[in-house]
């Protein structure tokens, strides 16, 4: 364990898919990890050497801060409980399922004097960080057009993902990463236009679905995001192309770029697929270490609660665009607080 993180005790809430890579990352930095979950805690603890606690209150009493890796619809309630206990919080994306709820938890954290970080891990993936740095350095000039894509084997055939009230659908659950990237690389967003095929019916997402969102940025840049939940066995892939006045940045996770993504063990089983860096340190580990150092008074990490709220706001606007068939003006769009 680094001196900066000596004696760290993390409270992990949740024991589903993403919990495993969080657990492995915390153990890699030498943290003591307590875990509480309605199900799966014993198995996770045995696999990664964690300590199971019987109640959430017990975890909140012992942990230095909380890492929430539960289903999306529970993020708000658990985050508010942790804040009420005076704990700093790391929360998996999306921060909540509506921008109104995101701002509620941000306001609660501010009032309690605690910090809240949303786990938008793509900001730590080397290719995306390299693109950000290149744009900031002016290497491609002013950004004009950007494209982002992300596809995975659909998790919607089982569990809570098909229920849009619980997952937010493919845009909130999967594309939210690239909505954050589009804003990070291209700047603030002024309009959002979205389509999805097949459409969501009666609040139930199709098992296999593709969504397309076009963003206009304050700079005049246009970005396009595509997210796909494909048939079981679909290879997890991501990529981008960012064109500026004097150059183009390109990345494909399945390309021979010296950096690639590969699936975790068991990833081909058709449930949620989680990319892992095959070159150097896991971005999840880098992210969580940066968060922990920030929570101990170190430099602020590269993503803040306000960024998580804005990504949710853009996803919510995308859903409103799909419902109306019209572009959404972000200067006037108001989060309704309705999930589906």
């Amino acid at each position: 364990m680094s001196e900066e993180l000596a004696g760290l005790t993390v409270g992990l809430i949740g024991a589903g898919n993403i919990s495993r890579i969080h657990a492995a990352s915390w153990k890699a930095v030498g943290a003591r990890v307590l875990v509480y979950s309605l199900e799966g805690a014993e198995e996770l603890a045995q696999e990664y050497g964690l300590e199971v606690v019987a109640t959430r209150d017990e975890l909140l009493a012992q942990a230095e801060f909380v890492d929430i890796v539960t289903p999306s619809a529970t993020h708000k309630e658990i985050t508010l409980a942790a804040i009420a206990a005076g704990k700093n919080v790391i929360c998996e994306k999306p921060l909540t399922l509506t921008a109104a709820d995101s701002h509620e938890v941000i306001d609660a954290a501010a009032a309690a004097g605690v910090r809240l970080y949303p786990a938008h891990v793509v900001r730590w993936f080397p290719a995306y960080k390299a693109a950000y740095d290149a744009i900031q350095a002016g290497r491609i000039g002013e950004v004009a057009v950007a494209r982002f894509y992300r596809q995975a084997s659909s998790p919607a055939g089982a569990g809570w993902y098909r229920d849009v009230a619980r997952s937010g659908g493919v845009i909130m659950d999967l594309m939210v990463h690239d909505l954050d990237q589009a804003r990070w690389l291209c700047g603030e967003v002024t309009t959002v236009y979205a389509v999805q095929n097949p459409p969501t019916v009666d609040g139930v997402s199709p098992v296999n679905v593709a969504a397309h969102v076009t963003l206009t940025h304050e700079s005049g840049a246009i970005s396009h995001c595509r997210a796909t939940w494909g048939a079981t066995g679909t290879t997890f892939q991501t990529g981008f192309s960012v064109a500026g006045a004097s150059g183009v940045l390109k990345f494909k996770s399945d390309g021979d770029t010296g950096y690639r993504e590969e699936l975790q063990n068991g990833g081909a089983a058709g449930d949620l697929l989680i990319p892992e860096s095959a070159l150097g340190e896991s971005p999840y580990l880098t992210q969580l270490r940066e968060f922990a150092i920030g929570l101990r008074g170190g430099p602020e990490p590269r993503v803040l609660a306000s960024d998580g709220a804005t990504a949710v706001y853009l996803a919510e606007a995308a859903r409103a665009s799909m419902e109306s068939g019209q572009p959404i003006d972000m200067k006037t769009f108001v989060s309704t607080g309705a999930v589906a």
Side-chain angles (χ1 to χ4, degrees):
M1 176 181 287
S2 69
E3 191 173 319
E4 292 170 298
L5 298 180
L8 178 63
T9 298
V10 177
L12 186 67
I13 301 180
N17 290 299
I18 196 70
S19 69
R20 282 166 168 74
I21 201 159
H22 280 243
S25 297
W26 288 125
K27 295 301 288 186
V29 300
R32 175 191 178 208
V33 183
L34 310 177
V35 59
Y36 169 74
S37 181
L38 296 180
E39 55 185 60
E42 294 285 352
E43 180 185 354
L44 185 71
Q46 185 172 4
E47 187 174 351
Y48 291 97
L50 317 183
E51 300 173 39
V52 178
V53 293
T55 67
R56 189 171 73 188
D57 286 345
E58 183 181 345
L59 179 141
L60 292 173
Q62 294 188 54
E64 181 175 329
F65 59 78
V66 172
D67 182 11
I68 299 170
V69 292
T70 56
S72 301
T74 66
H75 288 179
K76 176 186 175 181
E77 185 269 329
I78 297 171
T79 299
L80 288 175
I83 290 168
K87 299 297 180 180
N88 293 320
V89 177
I90 296 168
C91 182
E92 255 302 332
K93 63 79 202 166
L95 181 56
T96 65
L97 287 178
T98 72
D101 284 349
S102 290
H103 288 294
E104 182 179 339
V105 298
I106 289 171
D107 289 346
V114 301
R115 293 182 179 178
L116 171 61
Y117 295 147
H120 278 271
V121 72
V122 178
R123 292 196 185 200
W124 282 266
F125 272 73
Y128 292 84
K129 179 58 163 60
Y132 174 80
D133 289 343
I135 291 167
Q136 294 300 304
R139 288 178 55 194
I140 64 168
E142 188 172 356
V143 175
V145 178
R147 295 181 179 274
F148 303 87
Y149 69 88
R150 188 165 300 267
Q151 70 176 44
S153 177
S154 178
W160 48 273
Y161 294 96
R162 291 193 71 190
D163 183 351
V164 174
R166 298 175 68 195
S167 72
V170 69
I171 291 177
M172 188 71 76
D173 186 74
L174 183 62
M175 189 192 287
V176 72
H177 284 299
D178 286 328
L179 294 175
D180 178 61
Q181 285 301 306
R183 174 175 169 259
W184 199 40
L185 299 181
C186 306
E188 299 299 337
V189 176
T190 56
T191 63
V192 175
Y193 179 72
V195 294
Q196 176 185 299
N197 187 46
T200 295
V201 178
D202 295 331
V204 179
S205 171
V207 173
N208 305 130
V209 60
H212 301 260
V213 175
T214 301
L215 308 173
T216 304
H217 299 265
E218 285 183 356
S219 64
I222 303 293
S223 61
H224 177 78
C225 300
R226 169 172 58 85
T228 306
W229 276 342
T232 298
T234 296
T235 304
F236 190 101
Q237 293 181 11
T238 72
F240 60 77
S241 172
V242 183
S246 58
V248 181
L249 303 166
K250 292 183 178 181
F251 167 71
K252 294 176 63 177
S253 64
D254 62 337
D256 184 14
T257 61
Y259 171 77
R260 63 192 176 92
E261 292 171 1
E262 59 186 19
L263 303 182
Q264 295 190 115
N265 292 337
D271 207 338
L272 181 65
L273 304 185
I274 302 169
E276 173 80 88
S277 170
L279 183 66
E281 183 174 275
S282 162
Y284 297 88
L285 170 55
T286 313
Q287 170 193 233
L288 293 175
R289 182 194 293 113
E290 192 171 308
F291 282 156
I293 290 171
L295 292 177
R296 283 197 159 185
E300 286 277 57
R302 67 192 69 168
V303 64
L304 302 175
S306 57
D307 298 310
T310 301
V312 170
Y313 186 49
L314 293 172
E316 197 173 353
R319 185 177 64 244
S321 176
M322 288 191 298
E323 291 172 354
S324 68
Q326 299 296 318
I328 299 298
D329 184 347
M330 298 306 293
K331 293 179 182 177
T332 57
F333 178 65
V334 176
S335 173
T336 64
V339 175

mmCIF file of all heavy atoms in Angstrom, residues 117-147:
data_model
loop_
_atom_site.group_PDB
_atom_site.id
_atom_site.type_symbol
_atom_site.label_atom_id
_atom_site.label_comp_id
_atom_site.label_asym_id
_atom_site.label_seq_id
_atom_site.Cartn_x
_atom_site.Cartn_y
_atom_site.Cartn_z
ATOM 1 N N TYR A 117 -17.918 11.249 -5.834
ATOM 2 C CA TYR A 117 -17.260 11.064 -7.125
ATOM 3 C C TYR A 117 -17.995 9.993 -7.935
ATOM 4 O O TYR A 117 -18.221 8.881 -7.437
ATOM 5 C CB TYR A 117 -15.808 10.621 -6.947
ATOM 6 C CG TYR A 117 -14.900 11.627 -6.280
ATOM 7 C CD1 TYR A 117 -13.856 11.198 -5.462
ATOM 8 C CD2 TYR A 117 -15.057 12.999 -6.479
ATOM 9 C CE1 TYR A 117 -12.990 12.103 -4.867
ATOM 10 C CE2 TYR A 117 -14.195 13.909 -5.878
ATOM 11 C CZ TYR A 117 -13.167 13.464 -5.072
ATOM 12 O OH TYR A 117 -12.317 14.361 -4.476
ATOM 13 N N PRO A 118 -18.355 10.275 -9.183
ATOM 14 C CA PRO A 118 -18.999 9.273 -10.038
ATOM 15 C C PRO A 118 -17.960 8.503 -10.841
ATOM 16 O O PRO A 118 -17.019 9.086 -11.393
ATOM 17 C CB PRO A 118 -19.868 10.133 -10.969
ATOM 18 C CG PRO A 118 -19.090 11.413 -11.111
ATOM 19 C CD PRO A 118 -18.311 11.599 -9.831
ATOM 20 N N ALA A 119 -18.107 7.198 -10.927
ATOM 21 C CA ALA A 119 -17.087 6.348 -11.552
ATOM 22 C C ALA A 119 -17.280 6.271 -13.068
ATOM 23 O O ALA A 119 -17.745 5.257 -13.599
ATOM 24 C CB ALA A 119 -17.099 4.957 -10.927
ATOM 25 N N HIS A 120 -16.901 7.340 -13.762
ATOM 26 C CA HIS A 120 -16.889 7.347 -15.229
ATOM 27 C C HIS A 120 -15.503 6.910 -15.687
ATOM 28 O O HIS A 120 -14.660 7.714 -16.079
ATOM 29 C CB HIS A 120 -17.253 8.742 -15.753
ATOM 30 C CG HIS A 120 -18.719 8.990 -15.785
ATOM 31 N ND1 HIS A 120 -19.501 8.676 -16.881
ATOM 32 C CD2 HIS A 120 -19.570 9.494 -14.868
ATOM 33 C CE1 HIS A 120 -20.767 8.991 -16.636
ATOM 34 N NE2 HIS A 120 -20.832 9.488 -15.413
ATOM 35 N N VAL A 121 -15.290 5.602 -15.673
ATOM 36 C CA VAL A 121 -13.950 5.039 -15.804
ATOM 37 C C VAL A 121 -13.302 5.297 -17.158
ATOM 38 O O VAL A 121 -12.076 5.254 -17.287
ATOM 39 C CB VAL A 121 -13.982 3.522 -15.509
ATOM 40 C CG1 VAL A 121 -14.668 2.751 -16.634
ATOM 41 C CG2 VAL A 121 -12.575 2.981 -15.262
ATOM 42 N N VAL A 122 -14.098 5.583 -18.195
ATOM 43 C CA VAL A 122 -13.498 5.752 -19.525
ATOM 44 C C VAL A 122 -12.505 6.914 -19.543
ATOM 45 O O VAL A 122 -11.569 6.928 -20.338
ATOM 46 C CB VAL A 122 -14.593 5.914 -20.599
ATOM 47 C CG1 VAL A 122 -13.987 6.145 -21.982
ATOM 48 C CG2 VAL A 122 -15.460 4.655 -20.643
ATOM 49 N N ARG A 123 -12.661 7.884 -18.649
ATOM 50 C CA ARG A 123 -11.683 8.979 -18.578
ATOM 51 C C ARG A 123 -10.297 8.474 -18.187
ATOM 52 O O ARG A 123 -9.315 9.212 -18.336
ATOM 53 C CB ARG A 123 -12.143 10.050 -17.591
ATOM 54 C CG ARG A 123 -13.380 10.811 -18.052
ATOM 55 C CD ARG A 123 -13.554 12.089 -17.263
ATOM 56 N NE ARG A 123 -14.789 12.781 -17.606
ATOM 57 C CZ ARG A 123 -15.012 14.080 -17.374
ATOM 58 N NH1 ARG A 123 -14.065 14.817 -16.794
ATOM 59 N NH2 ARG A 123 -16.154 14.644 -17.701
ATOM 60 N N TRP A 124 -10.209 7.230 -17.694
ATOM 61 C CA TRP A 124 -8.921 6.653 -17.309
ATOM 62 C C TRP A 124 -8.405 5.647 -18.336
ATOM 63 O O TRP A 124 -7.318 5.122 -18.169
ATOM 64 C CB TRP A 124 -9.018 6.013 -15.931
ATOM 65 C CG TRP A 124 -8.965 7.011 -14.823
ATOM 66 C CD1 TRP A 124 -7.838 7.408 -14.128
ATOM 67 C CD2 TRP A 124 -10.053 7.755 -14.265
ATOM 68 N NE1 TRP A 124 -8.183 8.348 -13.181
ATOM 69 C CE2 TRP A 124 -9.533 8.581 -13.244
ATOM 70 C CE3 TRP A 124 -11.423 7.806 -14.533
ATOM 71 C CZ2 TRP A 124 -10.329 9.439 -12.491
ATOM 72 C CZ3 TRP A 124 -12.220 8.672 -13.789
ATOM 73 C CH2 TRP A 124 -11.680 9.472 -12.783
ATOM 74 N N PHE A 125 -9.179 5.358 -19.371
ATOM 75 C CA PHE A 125 -8.683 4.457 -20.412
ATOM 76 C C PHE A 125 -7.648 5.207 -21.253
ATOM 77 O O PHE A 125 -7.898 6.335 -21.692
ATOM 78 C CB PHE A 125 -9.836 3.926 -21.272
ATOM 79 C CG PHE A 125 -10.443 2.671 -20.717
ATOM 80 C CD1 PHE A 125 -11.246 2.706 -19.587
ATOM 81 C CD2 PHE A 125 -10.189 1.449 -21.305
ATOM 82 C CE1 PHE A 125 -11.791 1.552 -19.054
ATOM 83 C CE2 PHE A 125 -10.733 0.280 -20.785
ATOM 84 C CZ PHE A 125 -11.533 0.329 -19.654
ATOM 85 N N PRO A 126 -6.483 4.620 -21.468
ATOM 86 C CA PRO A 126 -5.371 5.364 -22.058
ATOM 87 C C PRO A 126 -5.669 6.057 -23.378
ATOM 88 O O PRO A 126 -5.242 7.192 -23.590
ATOM 89 C CB PRO A 126 -4.293 4.279 -22.231
ATOM 90 C CG PRO A 126 -4.588 3.301 -21.156
ATOM 91 C CD PRO A 126 -6.076 3.260 -21.041
ATOM 92 N N ALA A 127 -6.389 5.394 -24.284
ATOM 93 C CA ALA A 127 -6.644 6.003 -25.590
ATOM 94 C C ALA A 127 -7.497 7.262 -25.465
ATOM 95 O O ALA A 127 -7.261 8.260 -26.163
ATOM 96 C CB ALA A 127 -7.319 4.995 -26.513
ATOM 97 N N TYR A 128 -8.480 7.225 -24.579
ATOM 98 C CA TYR A 128 -9.367 8.377 -24.407
ATOM 99 C C TYR A 128 -8.636 9.522 -23.714
ATOM 100 O O TYR A 128 -8.810 10.691 -24.073
ATOM 101 C CB TYR A 128 -10.620 7.960 -23.631
ATOM 102 C CG TYR A 128 -11.509 7.030 -24.423
ATOM 103 C CD1 TYR A 128 -11.270 5.658 -24.449
ATOM 104 C CD2 TYR A 128 -12.585 7.519 -25.155
ATOM 105 C CE1 TYR A 128 -12.076 4.799 -25.191
ATOM 106 C CE2 TYR A 128 -13.398 6.667 -25.895
ATOM 107 C CZ TYR A 128 -13.135 5.304 -25.912
ATOM 108 O OH TYR A 128 -13.928 4.469 -26.652
ATOM 109 N N LYS A 129 -7.805 9.186 -22.722
ATOM 110 C CA LYS A 129 -7.019 10.225 -22.058
ATOM 111 C C LYS A 129 -6.003 10.831 -23.026
ATOM 112 O O LYS A 129 -5.754 12.049 -23.018
ATOM 113 C CB LYS A 129 -6.302 9.630 -20.846
ATOM 114 C CG LYS A 129 -5.423 10.626 -20.078
ATOM 115 C CD LYS A 129 -6.207 11.838 -19.573
ATOM 116 C CE LYS A 129 -5.462 12.613 -18.491
ATOM 117 N NZ LYS A 129 -4.160 13.153 -18.907
ATOM 118 N N ALA A 130 -5.426 10.008 -23.891
ATOM 119 C CA ALA A 130 -4.478 10.518 -24.878
ATOM 120 C C ALA A 130 -5.168 11.477 -25.846
ATOM 121 O O ALA A 130 -4.603 12.511 -26.227
ATOM 122 C CB ALA A 130 -3.834 9.365 -25.642
ATOM 123 N N ALA A 131 -6.403 11.145 -26.241
ATOM 124 C CA ALA A 131 -7.153 12.038 -27.126
ATOM 125 C C ALA A 131 -7.445 13.361 -26.433
ATOM 126 O O ALA A 131 -7.295 14.436 -27.035
ATOM 127 C CB ALA A 131 -8.453 11.366 -27.567
ATOM 128 N N TYR A 132 -7.853 13.294 -25.180
ATOM 129 C CA TYR A 132 -8.118 14.516 -24.418
ATOM 130 C C TYR A 132 -6.870 15.393 -24.343
ATOM 131 O O TYR A 132 -6.925 16.606 -24.594
ATOM 132 C CB TYR A 132 -8.593 14.146 -23.015
ATOM 133 C CG TYR A 132 -8.761 15.327 -22.086
ATOM 134 C CD1 TYR A 132 -9.905 16.131 -22.153
ATOM 135 C CD2 TYR A 132 -7.778 15.650 -21.156
ATOM 136 C CE1 TYR A 132 -10.050 17.219 -21.306
ATOM 137 C CE2 TYR A 132 -7.922 16.734 -20.314
ATOM 138 C CZ TYR A 132 -9.062 17.510 -20.389
ATOM 139 O OH TYR A 132 -9.204 18.599 -19.563
ATOM 140 N N ASP A 133 -5.747 14.783 -24.016
ATOM 141 C CA ASP A 133 -4.500 15.540 -23.894
ATOM 142 C C ASP A 133 -4.100 16.164 -25.227
ATOM 143 O O ASP A 133 -3.628 17.312 -25.278
ATOM 144 C CB ASP A 133 -3.378 14.632 -23.385
ATOM 145 C CG ASP A 133 -3.548 14.240 -21.923
ATOM 146 O OD1 ASP A 133 -4.331 14.905 -21.211
ATOM 147 O OD2 ASP A 133 -2.904 13.263 -21.499
ATOM 148 N N ALA A 134 -4.279 15.406 -26.320
ATOM 149 C CA ALA A 134 -3.921 15.927 -27.639
ATOM 150 C C ALA A 134 -4.788 17.123 -28.020
ATOM 151 O O ALA A 134 -4.299 18.118 -28.566
ATOM 152 C CB ALA A 134 -4.057 14.820 -28.692
ATOM 153 N N ILE A 135 -6.077 17.029 -27.708
ATOM 154 C CA ILE A 135 -6.988 18.141 -28.018
ATOM 155 C C ILE A 135 -6.642 19.359 -27.178
ATOM 156 O O ILE A 135 -6.578 20.485 -27.684
ATOM 157 C CB ILE A 135 -8.451 17.696 -27.789
ATOM 158 C CG1 ILE A 135 -8.848 16.666 -28.849
ATOM 159 C CG2 ILE A 135 -9.397 18.898 -27.833
ATOM 160 C CD1 ILE A 135 -10.135 15.934 -28.540
ATOM 161 N N GLN A 136 -6.378 19.121 -25.889
ATOM 162 C CA GLN A 136 -6.027 20.236 -25.012
ATOM 163 C C GLN A 136 -4.730 20.916 -25.448
ATOM 164 O O GLN A 136 -4.575 22.132 -25.298
ATOM 165 C CB GLN A 136 -5.900 19.749 -23.565
ATOM 166 C CG GLN A 136 -7.197 19.268 -22.948
ATOM 167 C CD GLN A 136 -8.263 20.348 -22.898
ATOM 168 O OE1 GLN A 136 -8.048 21.416 -22.346
ATOM 169 N NE2 GLN A 136 -9.413 20.063 -23.498
ATOM 170 N N ALA A 137 -3.828 20.142 -26.033
ATOM 171 C CA ALA A 137 -2.545 20.693 -26.495
ATOM 172 C C ALA A 137 -2.648 21.344 -27.871
ATOM 173 O O ALA A 137 -1.656 21.885 -28.371
ATOM 174 C CB ALA A 137 -1.498 19.586 -26.528
ATOM 175 N N GLY A 138 -3.845 21.273 -28.485
ATOM 176 C CA GLY A 138 -4.040 21.902 -29.788
ATOM 177 C C GLY A 138 -3.468 21.121 -30.952
ATOM 178 O O GLY A 138 -3.292 21.673 -32.052
ATOM 179 N N ARG A 139 -3.217 19.830 -30.755
ATOM 180 C CA ARG A 139 -2.542 19.051 -31.793
ATOM 181 C C ARG A 139 -3.393 18.824 -33.040
ATOM 182 O O ARG A 139 -2.845 18.593 -34.123
ATOM 183 C CB ARG A 139 -2.075 17.713 -31.230
ATOM 184 C CG ARG A 139 -0.894 17.849 -30.267
ATOM 185 C CD ARG A 139 -0.485 16.515 -29.697
ATOM 186 N NE ARG A 139 -0.188 15.548 -30.749
ATOM 187 C CZ ARG A 139 -0.070 14.242 -30.522
ATOM 188 N NH1 ARG A 139 -0.244 13.760 -29.296
ATOM 189 N NH2 ARG A 139 0.220 13.418 -31.515
ATOM 190 N N ILE A 140 -4.727 18.876 -32.919
ATOM 191 C CA ILE A 140 -5.560 18.704 -34.120
ATOM 192 C C ILE A 140 -6.372 19.965 -34.423
ATOM 193 O O ILE A 140 -7.268 19.942 -35.257
ATOM 194 C CB ILE A 140 -6.507 17.485 -34.000
ATOM 195 C CG1 ILE A 140 -7.527 17.674 -32.863
ATOM 196 C CG2 ILE A 140 -5.715 16.198 -33.821
ATOM 197 C CD1 ILE A 140 -8.653 16.661 -32.895
ATOM 198 N N GLY A 141 -6.054 21.050 -33.746
ATOM 199 C CA GLY A 141 -6.802 22.281 -33.963
ATOM 200 C C GLY A 141 -8.185 22.196 -33.335
ATOM 201 O O GLY A 141 -8.470 21.316 -32.521
ATOM 202 N N GLU A 142 -9.051 23.091 -33.731
ATOM 203 C CA GLU A 142 -10.401 23.114 -33.167
ATOM 204 C C GLU A 142 -11.191 21.900 -33.640
ATOM 205 O O GLU A 142 -11.227 21.585 -34.836
ATOM 206 C CB GLU A 142 -11.129 24.393 -33.585
ATOM 207 C CG GLU A 142 -12.465 24.575 -32.888
ATOM 208 C CD GLU A 142 -13.080 25.942 -33.158
ATOM 209 O OE1 GLU A 142 -12.423 26.769 -33.817
ATOM 210 O OE2 GLU A 142 -14.226 26.163 -32.713
ATOM 211 N N VAL A 143 -11.817 21.189 -32.705
ATOM 212 C CA VAL A 143 -12.591 19.993 -33.050
ATOM 213 C C VAL A 143 -13.801 20.371 -33.885
ATOM 214 O O VAL A 143 -14.531 21.313 -33.568
ATOM 215 C CB VAL A 143 -13.027 19.240 -31.780
ATOM 216 C CG1 VAL A 143 -13.940 18.065 -32.139
ATOM 217 C CG2 VAL A 143 -11.819 18.754 -30.999
ATOM 218 N N ALA A 144 -14.025 19.612 -34.967
ATOM 219 C CA ALA A 144 -15.167 19.860 -35.850
ATOM 220 C C ALA A 144 -16.217 18.760 -35.747
ATOM 221 O O ALA A 144 -17.398 19.028 -35.532
ATOM 222 C CB ALA A 144 -14.691 19.998 -37.296
ATOM 223 N N VAL A 145 -15.774 17.508 -35.894
ATOM 224 C CA VAL A 145 -16.702 16.375 -35.905
ATOM 225 C C VAL A 145 -16.084 15.230 -35.109
ATOM 226 O O VAL A 145 -14.898 14.926 -35.266
ATOM 227 C CB VAL A 145 -16.987 15.886 -37.343
ATOM 228 C CG1 VAL A 145 -17.921 14.673 -37.318
ATOM 229 C CG2 VAL A 145 -17.600 17.001 -38.182
ATOM 230 N N ALA A 146 -16.897 14.598 -34.266
ATOM 231 C CA ALA A 146 -16.420 13.451 -33.484
ATOM 232 C C ALA A 146 -17.457 12.336 -33.522
ATOM 233 O O ALA A 146 -18.668 12.600 -33.557
ATOM 234 C CB ALA A 146 -16.149 13.862 -32.040
ATOM 235 N N ARG A 147 -16.971 11.118 -33.525
ATOM 236 C CA ARG A 147 -17.856 9.942 -33.477
ATOM 237 C C ARG A 147 -17.356 8.999 -32.390
ATOM 238 O O ARG A 147 -16.151 8.754 -32.284
ATOM 239 C CB ARG A 147 -17.890 9.213 -34.824
ATOM 240 C CG ARG A 147 -18.509 10.026 -35.938
ATOM 241 C CD ARG A 147 -18.550 9.251 -37.265
ATOM 242 N NE ARG A 147 -19.157 10.049 -38.305
ATOM 243 C CZ ARG A 147 -20.469 10.133 -38.548
ATOM 244 N NH1 ARG A 147 -21.315 9.420 -37.781
ATOM 245 N NH2 ARG A 147 -20.948 10.881 -39.510
#
